[in-house]
Amino acid sequence: MESVRTYSIVVEPEADGGYFVTVPALPGCFTRGSTIEECQDRAIEAIETHIAGLEADGEPVPEEHGAPKLISVTVAA
């Protein structure tokens, strides 16, 4: 039986258009999309592929423990 997992994704706009997507709980798991909806679909594919790779390598599959928080800080630069 397949387990069901939920992961948060971070969708960041790119300077040349579109979005870059990362999965904080799965380092190295990322994708891109032209729209938010496309990002969500591609994130599902990327996560499934990433998990399959971890399992094939005998590595543990990380679980997300609480959703990431987006916090802004101001710095002098």
Side-chain angles (χ1 to χ4, degrees):
M1 182 174 152
E2 233 176 85
S3 64
V4 176
R5 295 180 169 96
T6 299
Y7 291 99
S8 296
I9 63 173
V10 176
V11 180
E12 298 179 71
E14 295 191 291
D16 59 349
Y19 300 92
F20 183 70
V21 181
T22 56
V23 185
L26 299 173
C29 184
F30 59 89
T31 190
R32 288 185 161 81
S34 298
T35 65
I36 297 296
E37 294 78 18
E38 184 178 48
C39 288
Q40 289 174 302
D41 291 340
R42 289 190 173 180
I44 291 168
E45 293 172 7
I47 291 167
E48 289 173 342
T49 301
H50 192 84
I51 288 172
L54 290 171
E55 291 175 337
D57 292 342
E59 298 289 329
V61 177
E63 296 288 336
E64 184 171 282
H65 301 287
K69 306 290 185 241
L70 181 60
I71 300 170
S72 296
V73 297
T74 302
V75 299

